[in-house]
Amino acid sequence: MFRNIMSSSSPPAPVPTVLIVMAVFRPDPAYLAAQMASLAGQSHGKLRLIAVIADGVSEDLVTRTAAEAGLRDTVTVPCDSEMDAVCAFEAGLWEAQALAGAMDGGDPLIALCDQDDIWHPDRLARGIAELDRSGAQLVHSDARLVGPDGTSVLQPSMFRFERRHRHPGLRGLLYRNTITGMTLLMRAEVMRLALPFPQQSGVHFYHDLWLGLIAAATGGVARIDAPLVDYRQHGTNAIGAVDRQKGWLRAGRRRRPDAMWLRREAASYALARYLAQSAHARISDALADGQLTPGRTTLTPLRPYLKRLRGTGSHLWDALRLGLTGHLGLARIAAGFAVVSVGRVSWALREALGPGLSAAIESFDTRLYSLSPGVPPARPRNAAEVATRPVPYATHTDIRKEPRWDPDFTADTPALTVLVPTLNPTEVFAGIVTALDIGLGLAARGHTVRFVATDLPVSSQPASRAFLLNRLPGDAPAGTAARISLACGVKSGTIPAHKGDVFLATAWWSAHVADRLIRRFRLEQSRFFYLIQDFEPNFYAWGPEYADALASYDLDFVPIFNTTLLRDHFQQQGFGFAGPDALTFRPAIDIARYAARPRTGRGPGPRRLAVYGRPEVARNMYATAIEALARFIETEKLAPGDIDLVSLGMSHPPVTLPRGLELRSLGKLPWEKYPAYLLGTDLGLSLMYSPHPSHPPLEMAAAGVRVVTNSFGPKDLGRLSPAILSAPATAPALAQALSRAWHLPAVDEADRKIDLAPLGPTLEATIDRLSRRLAPLTAGRAA
């Protein structure tokens, strides 16, 4: 009786605060107001909104709308540059973690929120109740799909519409994510374990999948089988709802497994393996640090992704189990993973035991016989009679120069056709991005633009199109997207075209492709535009590629030079097309992103020197940088307590240097974290044996780093800022420059404000000039 009295009189559990993280990117004001009103109308009223201004410009709108809705305790997180959804939610969770650390009364709960949906009044209350009941780490719910007006119901259940597995388990999440971020509510521990998010180039996985994996591995995920959010479907959804199984069945009737199918499956498997290993490492580290107790974790389902040569059996079993339970789409994915897993092992065994093994043994025996008697033994007479299979001549030619499609002259009007090696977001690098931005800029100025992938198959048309449209400027006129089309020049066979099309080549081999298409099909425009971003023959030793790259400069084209420095180099080499009126543009570097931020005081300790280390790219002169570092260390008699040496760019093994020092590689830093790292760096060494100025020396100097780089012909970046020391591209000269930089004072604030105007006009200004040249060639002409 006493125990009952005491129990009934004990204080109730404290009501948790819910921190709601919202990512805001170019919101529709009406949609945002409706969402804010639904947050304010929650039956669980103890909440606080954290709004990440991912577009960099909507802070006033968010603050005003939150105040009008009654959400007065709102925190905004400004952004220096535009962020995608994953980075925005990560930034919001970092802010939530900071707020949670300063709160009294226990940990808060964390919810995620989109800017244009509508929460049901009991969204938070039911989530809190389910967390209490289940003891899970994360709870999520179903959602209704509604139209743009927010009231018309398109589908009563997103789970049923998308045919989601209701109980996928930890490994099942890696086949297909079933957790939608806007419906989840999680404990603060999940947030702490999940931060920072694993790195990715572009967007390959979303935040909700990563949070779900962490929660499933550390205590479980619960689901509320009822819609608690209205998911508004409109033309600008970052991710929309789709009937995946229906789409797979429709596609399955058209396509059999082939190289493209295997490429897609390999990409999906790679992502699953990456996330599984990332989750395993994160949770293992938390266990080692005492943040988690062993009994609460479940990592066994991840084993197929952790073993070097095993895992196929688990995927096959999953495929059978999922197929028998009616989840045909998931069964196909699991079967695809099994195929890729088998291929991975087969490839490894072939490399280890195949022709490479025979060649290695042959090489060893040749060296062995060179010791004694000095010549290899004679072979049997019939050895020379072994037939050798003939090799097709095409294997000895460079197929990149030849268009792999025929134009289908069915287009209504001429277009600018931009030839790029790839349109797959994962394979796009800086040079391709510039070409894409030129095409997108011309589309925004009213031109019809067709992007054609010449080298690599387009893995996913929707993903590539979304990647392109996401790069359109925010002020692009209505209808711009309709003027943009994509085509795969590798697999399509034919591509829509018009006799008046104009080509933009973006590499030496695509210049040959453009020229051959013009001549072969007698197009009206005999000249093409050629985006020249380096002196490409120097990428190769003397031989066929050098000759073909050089020959591309003899074709009939209008050049577009990436910087005046490159134009001047061509002029010095005697190329007549590199005149003073040639189109040029400066590097698209946001100097203010680095120069406007204060330097980070690192306090006492070694000074940090960052090397732009890319061993696989010859023109970045990695070996010369290492030799220069070693000479510099010996000259200055530096010890580990004096200097901290790091390499940025590509991951590579650490390098031991004189006097007990070591260069450690950080690989490629995430774009959003790169400026902050440079602001805490003292010296830089960034080389580029080319007339084209690479970006790192300019970014480093703008961040206040005293940076050493090399000169090349007319290129002397030291003219742009005293923070840059330009030296001949030899190890002794670079080592001397490093010694000078070591003894110079800190970079002045004035020297961080670099004017890029000497390198050419802005890219936007050059696109304007290009648009004016293009207009009379393509405007107002029908087929």
Side-chain angles (χ1 to χ4, degrees):
M1 181 65 178
F2 178 78
R3 287 194 298 272
N4 290 340
I5 293 173
M6 292 297 293
S7 175
S8 63
S9 62
S10 59
V15 177
T17 298
V18 180
L19 299 179
I20 302 172
V21 177
M22 174 189 285
V24 180
F25 189 89
R26 302 177 190 171
D28 181 295
Y31 293 171
L32 181 64
Q35 176 67 296
M36 294 280 198
S38 74
L39 301 187
Q42 289 295 297
S43 58
H44 177 88
K46 194 174 181 182
L47 54 85
R48 189 173 190 185
L49 177 62
I50 301 170
V52 182
I53 314 303
D55 59 7
V57 297
S58 296
E59 186 168 7
D60 290 344
L61 173 63
V62 168
T63 302
R64 183 174 64 254
T65 306
E68 291 171 353
L71 299 171
R72 304 194 182 280
D73 194 15
T74 295
V75 176
T76 57
V77 180
C79 301
D80 295 323
S81 58
E82 291 186 353
M83 285 186 173
D84 58 44
V86 179
C87 292
F89 278 109
E90 184 180 20
L93 289 175
W94 280 116
E95 181 67 20
Q97 180 170 275
L99 292 175
M103 291 173 62
D104 297 326
D107 274 345
L109 299 175
I110 312 296
L112 303 184
C113 178
D114 289 346
Q115 66 188 18
D116 46 14
D117 301 320
I118 302 171
W119 284 12
H120 296 191
D122 57 351
R123 147 79 157 109
L124 293 180
R126 291 189 64 176
I128 293 169
E130 182 60 25
L131 283 179
D132 289 341
R133 186 199 67 78
S134 64
Q137 288 279 72
L138 180 151
V139 62
H140 65 113
S141 74
D142 203 346
R144 289 191 310 187
L145 305 182
V146 300
D149 59 4
T151 58
S152 57
V153 177
L154 305 178
Q155 294 289 338
S157 168
M158 184 167 63
F159 259 82
R160 285 199 298 273
F161 176 64
E162 293 195 333
R163 306 175 193 235
R164 296 190 181 188
H165 197 314
R166 297 180 184 275
H167 305 285
L170 176 56
R171 189 158 70 240
L173 287 173
L174 292 169
Y175 292 136
R176 181 183 295 159
N177 181 33
T178 63
I179 299 170
T180 305
M182 58 163 181
T183 72
L184 71 80
L185 181 70
M186 62 185 174
R187 302 186 191 276
E189 184 179 52
V190 177
M191 170 183 66
R192 295 191 185 101
L193 290 171
L195 291 173
F197 291 174
Q199 295 183 25
Q200 55 180 322
S201 177
V203 177
H204 302 275
F205 67 87
Y206 284 88
H207 47 283
D208 42 21
L209 172 56
W210 174 244
L211 295 168
L213 292 173
I214 295 297
T218 59
V221 172
R223 185 179 59 84
I224 298 173
D225 193 15
L228 300 181
V229 175
D230 284 347
Y231 186 15
R232 194 192 300 261
Q233 301 292 285
H234 53 83
T236 56
N237 284 103
I239 316 168
V242 294
D243 184 347
R244 298 176 187 275
Q245 184 158 303
K246 181 179 178 181
W248 167 72
L249 289 172
R250 185 166 55 246
R253 286 192 291 268
R254 296 195 309 263
R255 182 180 295 278
R256 295 179 179 179
D258 55 13
M260 283 294 293
W261 174 86
L262 185 59
R263 182 182 174 89
R264 286 193 298 270
E265 297 304 312
S268 299
Y269 175 81
L271 177 59
R273 190 174 182 89
Y274 174 77
L275 289 174
Q277 297 208 17
S278 298
H280 180 268
R282 186 67 57 86
I283 293 166
S284 297
D285 290 345
L287 287 168
D289 294 340
Q291 300 176 41
L292 290 171
T293 55
R296 293 180 49 213
T297 60
T298 305
L299 294 174
T300 303
L302 301 180
R303 283 181 181 174
Y305 301 102
L306 305 178
K307 302 296 184 181
R308 285 184 177 271
L309 300 176
R310 291 160 56 188
T312 303
S314 297
H315 297 309
L316 286 174
W317 168 248
D318 287 346
L320 177 62
R321 175 176 53 83
L322 290 166
L324 291 175
T325 55
H327 298 284
L328 300 181
L330 292 175
R332 183 205 62 78
I333 294 172
F337 280 22
V339 171
V340 176
S341 182
V342 169
R344 178 174 174 271
V345 174
S346 300
W347 186 88
L349 293 175
R350 185 188 67 185
E351 289 295 304
L353 303 176
L357 178 63
S358 299
I361 292 176
E362 184 86 14
S363 176
F364 183 86
D365 285 347
T366 299
R367 295 190 178 206
L368 187 68
Y369 293 129
S370 69
L371 299 176
S372 178
V375 293
R379 294 179 179 273
R381 286 191 302 272
N382 62 358
E385 299 172 3
V386 176
T388 302
R389 180 176 297 177
V391 178
Y393 83 92
T395 61
H396 295 293
T397 62
D398 195 332
I399 63 172
R400 294 177 298 173
K401 298 183 297 181
E402 185 67 29
R404 288 186 264 180
W405 73 94
D406 288 331
D408 177 16
F409 295 108
T410 57
D412 293 332
T413 57
L416 175 73
T417 301
V418 183
L419 305 176
V420 288
T422 180
L423 287 169
N424 299 319
T426 56
E427 297 158 342
V428 170
F429 54 84
I432 296 178
V433 166
T434 301
L436 298 179
D437 287 345
I438 290 175
L440 293 170
L442 289 169
R445 287 161 174 80
H447 299 276
T448 301
V449 178
R450 182 185 304 113
F451 294 96
V452 178
T454 60
D455 295 15
L456 296 172
V458 177
S459 297
S460 169
Q461 282 271 357
S464 294
R465 184 170 180 82
F467 174 77
L468 283 176
L469 297 185
N470 191 53
R471 294 196 62 83
L472 280 172
D475 57 354
T480 298
R483 291 190 289 272
I484 297 170
S485 62
L486 287 72
C488 177
V490 182
K491 294 291 185 180
S492 293
T494 60
I495 292 176
H498 187 282
K499 284 284 188 176
D501 283 349
V502 180
F503 289 101
L504 172 62
T506 59
W508 65 263
W509 58 90
S510 62
H512 286 284
V513 168
D515 183 73
R516 292 181 185 189
L517 286 170
I518 290 170
R519 310 299 164 205
R520 186 173 300 164
F521 295 97
R522 299 180 180 179
L523 301 187
E524 296 172 7
Q525 306 300 332
S526 61
R527 306 185 78 191
F528 60 92
F529 290 97
Y530 191 173
L531 175 60
I532 301 177
Q533 303 201 69
D534 216 319
F535 188 72
E536 292 186 304
N538 280 359
F539 291 177
Y540 313 99
W542 285 351
E545 288 177 306
Y546 182 98
D548 286 340
L550 193 61
S552 73
Y553 302 141
D554 292 330
L555 303 176
D556 190 9
F557 62 85
V558 176
I560 308 170
F561 287 104
N562 190 335
T563 74
T564 55
L565 295 178
L566 187 59
R567 179 203 62 194
D568 294 346
H569 175 77
F570 273 80
Q571 195 174 64
Q572 287 184 358
Q573 300 301 309
F575 291 98
F577 55 77
D581 294 331
L583 292 168
T584 62
F585 60 92
R586 72 183 70 162
I589 303 175
D590 184 2
I591 294 296
R593 186 169 184 253
Y594 306 89
R597 299 188 183 187
R599 293 276 300 166
T600 304
R602 287 171 45 80
R607 298 164 70 185
R608 180 195 291 160
L609 187 152
V611 179
Y612 187 47
R614 301 208 299 169
E616 299 175 17
V617 182
R619 62 186 181 278
N620 289 124
M621 304 186 71
Y622 176 74
T624 303
I626 296 298
E627 183 182 352
L629 271 182
R631 288 173 174 266
F632 162 62
I633 291 166
E634 292 282 23
T635 299
E636 299 299 329
K637 297 181 171 55
L638 301 177
D642 301 320
I643 193 167
D644 176 30
L645 299 169
V646 296
S647 174
L648 310 176
M650 288 181 173
S651 295
H652 59 78
V655 180
T656 58
L657 289 161
R659 305 179 66 83
L661 287 165
E662 182 178 277
L663 175 69
R664 54 192 175 89
S665 173
L666 300 184
K668 183 178 180 180
L669 290 182
W671 174 243
E672 66 275 6
K673 298 179 181 178
Y674 180 56
Y677 194 84
L678 292 185
L679 291 167
T681 300
D682 303 289
L683 285 88
L685 176 60
S686 180
L687 307 182
M688 179 76 153
Y689 198 68
S690 160
H692 171 64
S694 60
H695 290 196
L698 299 169
E699 294 163 343
M700 288 181 178
V705 179
R706 185 77 66 181
V707 56
V708 172
T709 189
N710 65 283
S711 58
F712 186 100
K715 180 175 73 174
D716 181 359
L717 298 184
R719 297 173 183 170
L720 299 176
S721 169
I724 302 175
L725 280 68
S726 186
T730 65
L734 293 167
Q736 291 177 8
L738 283 171
S739 289
R740 291 200 305 275
W742 181 258
H743 294 288
L744 285 172
V747 175
D748 291 337
E749 288 300 309
D751 295 339
R752 296 175 59 186
K753 296 175 175 60
I754 302 173
D755 182 9
L756 298 178
L759 301 182
T762 65
L763 182 59
E764 288 297 305
T766 299
I767 295 175
D768 283 337
R769 288 186 62 192
L770 182 58
S771 177
R772 290 192 292 271
R773 290 196 179 192
L774 193 61
L777 303 179
T778 61
R781 303 176 54 207

